[in-house]
Every structure is written in structure tokens, then in C-alpha cells.
Amino acid sequence: MDWQPEPESLQQLIQLLNSTNMADNAIQQQNNQRLEQLSQVPDFINYLLYVLVCMKDESSLVRTVAGLLLKNKVRQDFKQIPRTVLEYVVSKSIDGIGDPITMVRHTLGTVVATVVALGKVSSWPDVLPRLLQLLDSGDYTVVEGSWDILHKICEECDQELEEPLADGTRPLSVMIPKFLTFFGAESPVLREYAISTTTLFVTLRSESMQPMMDTFVVELFKRANDENAEVLKSVCKAVVALVDSRPDKLMPELENVVNYMIHTTQHSDPDIAMEACEFWLSFCEQKELVESLKPFLNRVVPTLMRGMVYSEEDLLMLDNDDNDAVVPDSDQDIRPRHHRARTHDQHQGDAGSDGESDGDDDSDDDSDDDLDDYYAEWSLRKCSAASLDVMSTAFGDQILDFVLPVLREELASDDWRVKEAGVLALGAIADGCMSGMGPHMPSLLPYLVQWFKHEKALVRSIACWSASRYGKWAIYGAEPNTVKVYFEPLLAGLLEAMMDTSKRVQEAACSAFATIEEDAGPYMAPYIQPVLETLARAFGLYQRKNLIILYDAVGTLAEAVGPELNQPQYVQLLMPTILERWENLQTYDQHMFPLFECLSAIALALGSGFKPYAQPIYERSVQIVGETLQMCQQASQDPSIDAPNKDLVIVALDLISSIVQALGEESQGLIAQHNCVALQLVGMCMVDAETDVRQSAFALLGDLAMHCFALIQPQLGEIMQQLVPQIDYNYQHLNVCNNAAWSAGELALKGGDEVIKPYVTPLLERLVPLLNNENTPLTLAENAAITIGRLGLVSPSVVAPNLEAFAQRWCVVLSSVKDNDEKSSAFQGMMTMISANPHGISKAFLLFCQAAVNWQTPDARLMEMFVQTFAGLKQMAGDEWEASIGMLDP
């Protein structure tokens, strides 16, 4: 006999569920408290299930809310819920999937999928066979409800469905053939379920899917002209999945596939066209496939360019106010911002890194934001532009034969939307076709600058973006007087556009300006005065969202011109505005992150010129680190306290690093304040749970070692205890490991033999395996090699006996590193070790010679050591010297 509710308790629950959509916050809070009390009742799950499944006279909203509460209760207390109760929930939910209300059916599906996902598919062996059997029901609602559950289980349990059950069968080997039979179902809803669910396993390269791939492709293309929009979108997604995972199934019919995708990319339904357009983006990202697209470029390129024109729907979604500069932004207008912690890179110096897994540094690649990121959501227009961008990179100037005729037509159009699309296309091909576009830019770039003043804000903004993509040409192009004729008008036009009455144009112009100044670097120096004057005016005009970009522009200027910024007239223009904002901003304001980054760049550029401003900025940074760590500690002990964003700790540590670098040894006075509280906080951050915090802490430690070693030395034992374990053989947290290895080298260099000797062996035990592992990311291997060299310089008696164990890989890794002081100290260390153990270099002799030859500008001390080292090696080699040297590459 089924469980039955107690009528009074049931009625009480119904009343609460009915009031969940009331707008009154006080009532909502009371309801939540009462529901929380009811949730402690042993039969609460059964009550919710009863409302969801049995109370068909109640509103769909009440039943759905009951179902969502049931799902949350199951997810929250899964391990404590008796198996019998879960079995009852699953059984009754599947019994109810023929409910006539779609919302209720789908809520039931969510409940069943949640139980199966949390309990594992193998623990519910009867669920999948029952659902597959119900797919043959004559009742449409039962079939649709079963499909909903199956789709959700496939999304949640994709890997488990590949695993054999107790009888040895894999669930997918039974499920997929059944799914394929529904590709031709009478109901479009069922067709869409079948195609989208099966495509999941194409995307995942499912082993069970492979034997049925041919059938999948045949059945899929039977739906190529389906009359239902959702089905057509699923067909397009499936074709894209095939491109990514099994392109071999498309290549025999590539011409037909391309013709179909060209046709569908021009579909009257923009959502279908957008899904089809993804095909070109995916195809061009497959290096082994892209050449096969060449015969079709004459049709594909114009199709993509036509897809870039704003549709009426696009324009309706945009806030098209051309004069909104004085309208305040809401907090919802400002996207969350995440700071990239510093990592030490031998090729780039101290650069931001966004990778904890592979070490790739994309900090200079803004292409994700480039393509009109400030407009709406992903759309046909944006997908078309991204596809053309990738295509231009793949084919280079070869696509210009097909781009230029359409481009001329669009740029000459009287329809502003068509002209705007042409400007977008011009920017999209910039990276891939820069050389081919060079001869056209003397006429095109002035037009783009003119369009900064177009009557339509959307044209003005895209013209700014597109022009910025050709900034390098305007600076370094082959035309006579390039800077005077092209760069200066471009810069002046952008500075004027930054003061536009449209916030959209301000954003585009400011972002474009940041790109230009980054490309120009020291070429920006003659223009610092007008640039700072414009930036100062912009600070008085911009609303909150665009101020974030403005901070970035100031920081990028400082990075571009470096010490040139340290002129009294420039400092007076810049610092009062920045300091006013620093003093007035609340600690947890969203603007603190970009302001910290901006100040870090300014400090490095001004160097000693930052000293008058350093103390209050340093003190507040230290205070923010301390307060944030304390609040995090309190939050870990009291769940009612919200933990603060630790990104504040990261940006504050990075700003302190910049101040230390800027002031050099003069920073010791700041660090020594309040019993060296900053060093205590750095110690806490070096063992913090968050990797980005540790990463910035070790970056700061290295800077402190360089400039404030006397303050660090009393705590060196404790520091090394924390540092050595972070140099991880498996570099699980790459940038933490990288910065720890680098800072160890700085500590060694400053500490000398007597101080650092106790720690050399444990450091070598970690650094040498990292260096010798050919899979170690290059930046980490380089820092490991440099630190080993520095350890050899200060403690050759400990390191030199191990020389043969790392010499070959050491020479290979450092051979291509640019000349700098760190590399010089490492080579001095290597030659000190060779002097102590000349036989240790024997197997790596030729590699060492090649690494030495690769030096371009060795300093006097290094050159002297090279001469001495090679003289010693020559003497030791005797008659074999000439033969050995003869084996070097010319």
C-alpha cells in the first residue's frame, strides 16, 4: 500500500508552496524558515513527492516547486536517505512521467536523474531498461517524459554509461540503437531528443558509439531538411560534433556537406543559421582538414560576410542609445573581473599568467574579447566574424580574392548596417591577412578614422576596434613617414573618440587605444602629454563600467613608455586623479582590482619617482591582505560569514611587489614597519589553500630577496620549510612551482654559501628531476635551470659533484633563453661548477659550447669566465680539442 500523508501537514505544506512566489521579502523569509523546519520531518521527502506526483488538482507551479525542493533535498542528504525511500522516489517519479503538464514531467525527470547520478547507474540497474521500454508506449506524454529522463541521465552519467553492468553489457550499446530509431519519429520533440542525446556521445568520442557511427550519419542527414527549427539546430550541432570528433565520416561527402552548411548558414531563422555557422569555425580550427575547404572559399567567404550584418533582432537586443554617457551604470552592467597573478617567465620577465595546467600565457591574446565582445550574446554576426577571423589565419592572403570584392561593396553601401559589417570584416581579417592588406591600408585606414565620427554609434565603435587591429601597420608599416601620416591621425582620432557621448563608443575607443599603445610601446613617448590630458578628462566623464577599461589604458601606457613617464609634468597630470580614487574607493568596490593593477604598472614605470606616493599605498595594501586573510579565517570557522574575495590578496601582493621593485633597497624602510608585518603575511600566503595566492606570494618573496634580504634572513629557515615543498615534481600547480623555483634562486644569490648551504641538497632533489623531465613546461624548466646554476655559483662544493646528472638538459634549456642578468648568473654558476668538476661536463661538452656561442652580449665578468673555462677545458682535452670543436654546428 502506498504511503499516505497526514492531511493537516499536507495542507500546511501546500499553503507554504503557494506563497513561494509572493514578492514580499519578509513573507519569503518566513516561508523559507518554515520549510527548513518541515524539512527535518522524517517523511518530508514523501510529502514533496506526493504533491509532485499525486496532487494533479494543484497548480503546476506548486507541483514544480515541490519537485525542485525534492531534488534539492535528495542532493543535499543523499547519503543519509534510506535506500527504500530512494527506490520509492524513483518508482513513483517514473510512474508519473505521463503527467499532462510538461513542466511537471520535466521536474520528475530531474528528480530521477539526480538520484541515478548520485547513486551511480550500476546501483539502479532497473531504471534504464524500464525507461527504454517506456519509449515504446503509445502514450506520447509517457514517451516524451521518458526521453527527458534519459537525456538528463546521459548528460550526468556519460562516462558511467560506457562501463559494463553486472551482466557484461554496456548500457550505451543497448541505448544508442534505440535512440537512432527515433531520428525519424513523427513528433519533432522526440526527433530532437534523439538527435541531441546521441550527439552527446559523438562529442565525447564514446567507444560504444563508434560501431554505429555510419548509421548515425545516414539517419542524421535524413533530417537535413526537417521542417522543425529545433530539429534543424540539433542536426547542425551534430554535424559540428562530427567535425570535431569524426571528420572522416564527413570527408567522403565533403562537397555535399559544405553545400548544405552554406545553405543552412543563410537560413531565415537566425538561430539555425548561427548553429550552422559554427561548422566553419570548427572546421577551420582543424589543421588537418582546413586545406580541403579551399575549393569552396569563393562561396563560404561571402556567406560569412553577409552573416555579419546586424539583423533587426540583434538591434532590438542592443541598447542603442547614442547619447548615454551621463547615464549611470548599474552593477549588473559590470562583468566580474579576475586578476591574473604574476609568474616569473624568462622570455617575458614578470608577466601575468592564466594557466595552472599547461603554462600557456595568453595575456597578450585578446582575441576572445576582440570580436565585438561588448555587444549582446553569441549570435550569427559574431560567429560569422569569428569564423572569418579563424579562416583568415588558416589561409592568410589567399582569401583576399574573395573578401575584397564584397568588402568594397559593403564599405561603399549607403545602408549603415552593411557598412558596419564591412568594417567588422576588415578587422576580422587583420591578423591573418596583414601583409596582403598592406597595400590597401593607406586608403582604408583614413576612412576608418573618419568613421570614428559616423552618425551611428555602432559604426563608430566597430571602426575603433577595426582600426586598432591595424595599429602595428600604422607604426611599423613600409609606407614613408608611417608614424606621422598614419599613426598620429589614428591616435588623435581614438583620443577624441574616447570622449564620445556614447558609452559603447567610449568603451570601444578606450579598448582600441589600449591595444594601440601596447603595440606602439616606446613609440608612445612623444605623445604622453596629450594622452594623459585625455585620460584625465575621461576620468571625469566615464561611468563605472568604462572606468575599468580606463584603468587598464593607464596601466598599459605605463608599461609601454616605462621610465619616460617619470617626468614631473606627467606625474602631476596623472597621480592626483589616481590617488583621489585610491583614497575614496571602498576596499571591496569592484574598481579596486583594476586600480591595483593600474598602480602596479605606474609604480614600475616611475621607479624611484613613485617614492612620494609609496607609503600610504603600501600600508593600505598590507592592511587589505591582513584583513582579508583574517576574514577568510573567520568565515572558515563560521558558515554564516561570507568569505571575501581572495583576489584582493593577490592584487595587493602584486602591488607590494611592484613597489619593492620600483624602490629597490629603499623599500626596506617600508617593509620593516610594524615588526615586518608584511613578511608575516607573505609567510601565511605561501601556504594558503588558493594557488593564485601562493603564486603571488612567491613572486613577492623573490622581489624581497633581491632588495630586502637582510629583513628576510632571520626567517629564512621557516621560509625554506614552506618553499621547498612547493617545488613539486609533478608541477600540479605550475605557476606556484615556477615562482617558488625562481625565488629560491634569488634567495641563494643574496644569501651566499654559508646561509644557503643547508637548503641546497633538498632544493636539488626537486629541481633536477624537474629540469630533466622533457615534459616539464619550458618556463618552469628554464627557471629550474637558472636556480640550479645560481646554487652552483654560491655552493659549488654541494652542486658540482652532481653536474653530470643535469648538465646536458641544462645546456639545452638555457641555450635559447634571451640574454639577461639571471641567465648570466646561472652561466657563471655553471662555469664555477665546471672548474670544480671538469669531468662533469664531458658528456655535455658540445651542448655547453653551443649554449655559450648563443650568447649575444655577455657582460665583462661572464666573458672573462668563458675565456678561463674554455682555456681549462682545452688544456684538459689536449690533442682531442680540435676534433671536439670541429663537431660543433657552424
CSV table of all heavy atoms in Angstrom, one decimal, residues 62-98:
chain,number,residue,atom,x,y,z
A,62,VAL,N,2.9,25.0,-8.0
A,62,VAL,CA,3.1,24.4,-6.7
A,62,VAL,C,3.7,23.0,-6.8
A,62,VAL,O,4.7,22.7,-6.1
A,62,VAL,CB,1.7,24.3,-6.0
A,62,VAL,CG1,1.8,23.3,-4.8
A,62,VAL,CG2,1.2,25.6,-5.6
A,63,ARG,N,3.3,22.3,-7.8
A,63,ARG,CA,3.8,20.9,-8.0
A,63,ARG,C,5.3,21.0,-8.4
A,63,ARG,O,6.1,20.2,-8.0
A,63,ARG,CB,3.0,20.1,-9.0
A,63,ARG,CG,1.6,19.9,-8.6
A,63,ARG,CD,0.8,19.3,-9.7
A,63,ARG,NE,1.2,17.9,-10.0
A,63,ARG,CZ,0.9,17.2,-11.1
A,63,ARG,NH1,0.1,17.8,-12.0
A,63,ARG,NH2,1.3,16.0,-11.3
A,64,THR,N,5.6,21.9,-9.3
A,64,THR,CA,7.0,22.1,-9.7
A,64,THR,C,7.9,22.5,-8.6
A,64,THR,O,9.0,22.0,-8.4
A,64,THR,CB,7.1,23.1,-10.9
A,64,THR,OG1,6.3,22.6,-12.0
A,64,THR,CG2,8.5,23.2,-11.4
A,65,VAL,N,7.5,23.4,-7.8
A,65,VAL,CA,8.3,23.9,-6.6
A,65,VAL,C,8.5,22.7,-5.7
A,65,VAL,O,9.6,22.5,-5.2
A,65,VAL,CB,7.6,25.1,-5.9
A,65,VAL,CG1,8.3,25.4,-4.6
A,65,VAL,CG2,7.6,26.3,-6.8
A,66,ALA,N,7.5,21.9,-5.5
A,66,ALA,CA,7.6,20.7,-4.6
A,66,ALA,C,8.7,19.8,-5.2
A,66,ALA,O,9.6,19.3,-4.5
A,66,ALA,CB,6.3,20.0,-4.5
A,67,GLY,N,8.7,19.6,-6.5
A,67,GLY,CA,9.7,18.8,-7.2
A,67,GLY,C,11.1,19.3,-7.1
A,67,GLY,O,12.0,18.5,-6.8
A,68,LEU,N,11.2,20.6,-7.2
A,68,LEU,CA,12.6,21.2,-7.1
A,68,LEU,C,13.1,21.1,-5.7
A,68,LEU,O,14.3,20.8,-5.4
A,68,LEU,CB,12.6,22.7,-7.5
A,68,LEU,CG,12.3,22.8,-9.0
A,68,LEU,CD1,12.2,24.3,-9.4
A,68,LEU,CD2,13.3,22.2,-9.9
A,69,LEU,N,12.2,21.3,-4.7
A,69,LEU,CA,12.6,21.1,-3.3
A,69,LEU,C,13.0,19.6,-3.0
A,69,LEU,O,14.0,19.4,-2.3
A,69,LEU,CB,11.5,21.5,-2.3
A,69,LEU,CG,11.2,23.0,-2.3
A,69,LEU,CD1,9.9,23.3,-1.5
A,69,LEU,CD2,12.3,23.8,-1.6
A,70,LEU,N,12.3,18.7,-3.6
A,70,LEU,CA,12.6,17.3,-3.5
A,70,LEU,C,14.0,17.0,-4.1
A,70,LEU,O,14.8,16.3,-3.5
A,70,LEU,CB,11.5,16.5,-4.2
A,70,LEU,CG,11.8,15.0,-4.4
A,70,LEU,CD1,11.9,14.3,-3.0
A,70,LEU,CD2,10.6,14.3,-5.2
A,71,LYS,N,14.2,17.5,-5.3
A,71,LYS,CA,15.5,17.3,-5.9
A,71,LYS,C,16.6,17.9,-5.0
A,71,LYS,O,17.7,17.2,-4.8
A,71,LYS,CB,15.5,18.0,-7.3
A,71,LYS,CG,16.8,17.8,-8.1
A,71,LYS,CD,17.8,19.0,-7.9
A,71,LYS,CE,17.2,20.2,-8.6
A,71,LYS,NZ,18.1,21.4,-8.6
A,72,ASN,N,16.5,19.1,-4.5
A,72,ASN,CA,17.5,19.7,-3.6
A,72,ASN,C,17.7,18.9,-2.3
A,72,ASN,O,18.8,18.7,-1.8
A,72,ASN,CB,17.1,21.1,-3.3
A,72,ASN,CG,17.2,22.0,-4.5
A,72,ASN,OD1,17.9,21.7,-5.5
A,72,ASN,ND2,16.5,23.1,-4.5
A,73,LYS,N,16.6,18.4,-1.8
A,73,LYS,CA,16.7,17.6,-0.5
A,73,LYS,C,17.4,16.3,-0.8
A,73,LYS,O,18.3,15.9,0.0
A,73,LYS,CB,15.3,17.3,0.0
A,73,LYS,CG,15.2,16.5,1.3
A,73,LYS,CD,15.7,17.2,2.4
A,73,LYS,CE,15.5,16.5,3.7
A,73,LYS,NZ,16.1,17.2,4.9
A,74,VAL,N,17.1,15.6,-1.9
A,74,VAL,CA,17.9,14.4,-2.3
A,74,VAL,C,19.3,14.7,-2.5
A,74,VAL,O,20.2,14.0,-2.0
A,74,VAL,CB,17.2,13.8,-3.6
A,74,VAL,CG1,18.1,12.7,-4.1
A,74,VAL,CG2,15.9,13.2,-3.3
A,75,ARG,N,19.6,15.8,-3.2
A,75,ARG,CA,21.1,16.1,-3.5
A,75,ARG,C,21.8,16.4,-2.1
A,75,ARG,O,22.9,16.0,-1.9
A,75,ARG,CB,21.1,17.3,-4.4
A,75,ARG,CG,22.5,17.6,-4.9
A,75,ARG,CD,22.5,18.8,-5.9
A,75,ARG,NE,21.9,18.4,-7.1
A,75,ARG,CZ,22.5,17.7,-8.1
A,75,ARG,NH1,23.7,17.3,-8.0
A,75,ARG,NH2,21.8,17.4,-9.2
A,76,GLN,N,21.1,17.1,-1.3
A,76,GLN,CA,21.7,17.6,0.0
A,76,GLN,C,22.0,16.4,1.0
A,76,GLN,O,23.0,16.3,1.6
A,76,GLN,CB,20.8,18.6,0.6
A,76,GLN,CG,21.3,19.2,2.0
A,76,GLN,CD,20.4,20.2,2.6
A,76,GLN,OE1,19.7,20.9,1.9
A,76,GLN,NE2,20.2,20.1,3.9
A,77,ASP,N,21.0,15.5,1.1
A,77,ASP,CA,21.0,14.5,2.1
A,77,ASP,C,21.1,13.1,1.5
A,77,ASP,O,20.8,12.1,2.2
A,77,ASP,CB,19.8,14.6,3.0
A,77,ASP,CG,19.6,15.9,3.7
A,77,ASP,OD1,20.7,16.5,3.9
A,77,ASP,OD2,18.5,16.3,4.0
A,78,PHE,N,21.7,12.9,0.3
A,78,PHE,CA,21.6,11.7,-0.4
A,78,PHE,C,22.1,10.5,0.4
A,78,PHE,O,21.5,9.4,0.5
A,78,PHE,CB,22.4,11.7,-1.7
A,78,PHE,CG,22.3,10.5,-2.5
A,78,PHE,CD1,21.1,10.2,-3.3
A,78,PHE,CD2,23.3,9.6,-2.5
A,78,PHE,CE1,21.0,9.1,-4.1
A,78,PHE,CE2,23.2,8.4,-3.3
A,78,PHE,CZ,22.1,8.2,-4.1
A,79,LYS,N,23.3,10.7,1.1
A,79,LYS,CA,23.9,9.6,1.8
A,79,LYS,C,23.1,9.2,3.0
A,79,LYS,O,23.3,8.0,3.5
A,79,LYS,CB,25.3,9.9,2.1
A,79,LYS,CG,26.2,10.0,0.9
A,79,LYS,CD,27.7,10.3,1.3
A,79,LYS,CE,28.6,10.4,0.1
A,79,LYS,NZ,30.0,10.8,0.4
A,80,GLN,N,22.3,10.1,3.5
A,80,GLN,CA,21.5,9.7,4.8
A,80,GLN,C,20.1,9.2,4.5
A,80,GLN,O,19.5,8.7,5.3
A,80,GLN,CB,21.4,11.0,5.6
A,80,GLN,CG,22.7,11.4,6.3
A,80,GLN,CD,23.6,12.1,5.4
A,80,GLN,OE1,23.3,13.0,4.6
A,80,GLN,NE2,24.9,11.7,5.5
A,81,ILE,N,19.7,9.3,3.2
A,81,ILE,CA,18.3,8.8,2.9
A,81,ILE,C,18.3,7.3,2.7
A,81,ILE,O,19.2,6.8,2.0
A,81,ILE,CB,17.8,9.5,1.6
A,81,ILE,CG1,17.8,11.0,1.8
A,81,ILE,CG2,16.5,9.0,1.2
A,81,ILE,CD1,17.5,11.8,0.5
A,82,PRO,N,17.4,6.6,3.4
A,82,PRO,CA,17.4,5.1,3.3
A,82,PRO,C,17.1,4.7,1.8
A,82,PRO,O,16.4,5.4,1.1
A,82,PRO,CB,16.2,4.7,4.1
A,82,PRO,CG,16.0,5.9,5.1
A,82,PRO,CD,16.4,7.1,4.4
A,83,ARG,N,17.7,3.6,1.4
A,83,ARG,CA,17.6,3.1,0.1
A,83,ARG,C,16.1,2.9,-0.3
A,83,ARG,O,15.7,3.1,-1.4
A,83,ARG,CB,18.4,1.8,0.0
A,83,ARG,CG,18.1,1.0,-1.3
A,83,ARG,CD,18.9,1.6,-2.5
A,83,ARG,NE,18.5,0.9,-3.7
A,83,ARG,CZ,19.2,1.0,-4.8
A,83,ARG,NH1,20.3,1.7,-4.9
A,83,ARG,NH2,18.9,0.3,-5.9
A,84,THR,N,15.3,2.4,0.7
A,84,THR,CA,13.9,2.2,0.4
A,84,THR,C,13.2,3.4,0.0
A,84,THR,O,12.3,3.4,-0.9
A,84,THR,CB,13.2,1.5,1.6
A,84,THR,OG1,13.5,2.3,2.8
A,84,THR,CG2,13.8,0.1,1.9
A,85,VAL,N,13.6,4.5,0.6
A,85,VAL,CA,12.9,5.8,0.3
A,85,VAL,C,13.3,6.3,-1.1
A,85,VAL,O,12.5,6.7,-1.9
A,85,VAL,CB,13.3,6.9,1.3
A,85,VAL,CG1,12.8,8.3,0.9
A,85,VAL,CG2,12.8,6.5,2.7
A,86,LEU,N,14.6,6.1,-1.4
A,86,LEU,CA,15.1,6.5,-2.8
A,86,LEU,C,14.4,5.6,-3.8
A,86,LEU,O,14.0,6.1,-4.9
A,86,LEU,CB,16.6,6.3,-2.9
A,86,LEU,CG,17.4,7.3,-2.0
A,86,LEU,CD1,18.9,6.9,-2.1
A,86,LEU,CD2,17.2,8.7,-2.5
A,87,GLU,N,14.2,4.3,-3.6
A,87,GLU,CA,13.6,3.4,-4.5
A,87,GLU,C,12.1,3.9,-4.7
A,87,GLU,O,11.6,3.9,-5.8
A,87,GLU,CB,13.6,2.0,-4.0
A,87,GLU,CG,15.0,1.4,-4.1
A,87,GLU,CD,15.0,0.0,-3.5
A,87,GLU,OE1,14.1,-0.4,-2.8
A,87,GLU,OE2,16.1,-0.7,-3.7
A,88,TYR,N,11.5,4.3,-3.6
A,88,TYR,CA,10.1,4.8,-3.7
A,88,TYR,C,10.0,6.0,-4.6
A,88,TYR,O,9.1,6.2,-5.4
A,88,TYR,CB,9.6,5.0,-2.3
A,88,TYR,CG,8.1,5.4,-2.2
A,88,TYR,CD1,7.1,4.6,-2.6
A,88,TYR,CD2,7.8,6.7,-1.8
A,88,TYR,CE1,5.8,5.0,-2.5
A,88,TYR,CE2,6.5,7.1,-1.8
A,88,TYR,CZ,5.5,6.2,-2.1
A,88,TYR,OH,4.1,6.6,-2.1
A,89,VAL,N,11.0,7.0,-4.3
A,89,VAL,CA,11.0,8.2,-5.1
A,89,VAL,C,11.2,7.9,-6.6
A,89,VAL,O,10.5,8.5,-7.4
A,89,VAL,CB,12.2,9.1,-4.6
A,89,VAL,CG1,12.4,10.3,-5.6
A,89,VAL,CG2,11.9,9.6,-3.2
A,90,VAL,N,12.1,7.0,-6.9
A,90,VAL,CA,12.4,6.7,-8.3
A,90,VAL,C,11.2,6.0,-9.0
A,90,VAL,O,10.7,6.4,-10.1
A,90,VAL,CB,13.6,5.9,-8.5
A,90,VAL,CG1,13.8,5.3,-9.9
A,90,VAL,CG2,14.9,6.6,-8.1
A,91,SER,N,10.6,5.1,-8.3
A,91,SER,CA,9.5,4.3,-8.8
A,91,SER,C,8.3,5.2,-9.0
A,91,SER,O,7.6,5.2,-10.1
A,91,SER,CB,9.1,3.2,-7.8
A,91,SER,OG,7.9,2.5,-8.3
A,92,LYS,N,7.9,6.0,-8.0
A,92,LYS,CA,6.7,6.9,-8.2
A,92,LYS,C,7.0,8.0,-9.2
A,92,LYS,O,6.0,8.4,-9.9
A,92,LYS,CB,6.4,7.6,-6.8
A,92,LYS,CG,5.9,6.6,-5.8
A,92,LYS,CD,4.6,5.9,-6.1
A,92,LYS,CE,3.5,6.9,-6.1
A,92,LYS,NZ,2.2,6.3,-6.4
A,93,SER,N,8.2,8.5,-9.3
A,93,SER,CA,8.5,9.5,-10.3
A,93,SER,C,8.4,9.0,-11.7
A,93,SER,O,7.8,9.6,-12.6
A,93,SER,CB,9.9,10.1,-10.1
A,93,SER,OG,10.0,10.7,-8.9
A,94,ILE,N,8.9,7.8,-12.0
A,94,ILE,CA,8.7,7.2,-13.3
A,94,ILE,C,7.3,6.9,-13.6
A,94,ILE,O,6.8,7.0,-14.7
A,94,ILE,CB,9.6,5.9,-13.4
A,94,ILE,CG1,11.1,6.4,-13.3
A,94,ILE,CG2,9.4,5.2,-14.7
A,94,ILE,CD1,12.1,5.2,-13.4
A,95,ASP,N,6.5,6.4,-12.5
A,95,ASP,CA,5.1,6.2,-12.7
A,95,ASP,C,4.4,7.5,-13.2
A,95,ASP,O,3.4,7.4,-13.9
A,95,ASP,CB,4.5,5.7,-11.4
A,95,ASP,CG,4.8,4.3,-11.1
A,95,ASP,OD1,5.3,3.6,-12.0
A,95,ASP,OD2,4.6,3.9,-9.9
A,96,GLY,N,4.9,8.6,-12.8
A,96,GLY,CA,4.2,9.9,-13.0
A,96,GLY,C,4.7,10.6,-14.3
A,96,GLY,O,4.2,11.7,-14.6
A,97,ILE,N,5.6,10.0,-15.1
A,97,ILE,CA,6.1,10.7,-16.2
A,97,ILE,C,5.1,10.9,-17.4
A,97,ILE,O,5.5,11.6,-18.4
A,97,ILE,CB,7.4,10.1,-16.8
A,97,ILE,CG1,7.2,8.7,-17.2
A,97,ILE,CG2,8.5,10.2,-15.8
A,97,ILE,CD1,8.3,8.1,-17.9
A,98,GLY,N,4.0,10.3,-17.3
A,98,GLY,CA,3.0,10.6,-18.3
A,98,GLY,C,2.1,11.8,-17.9
A,98,GLY,O,1.0,12.0,-18.5
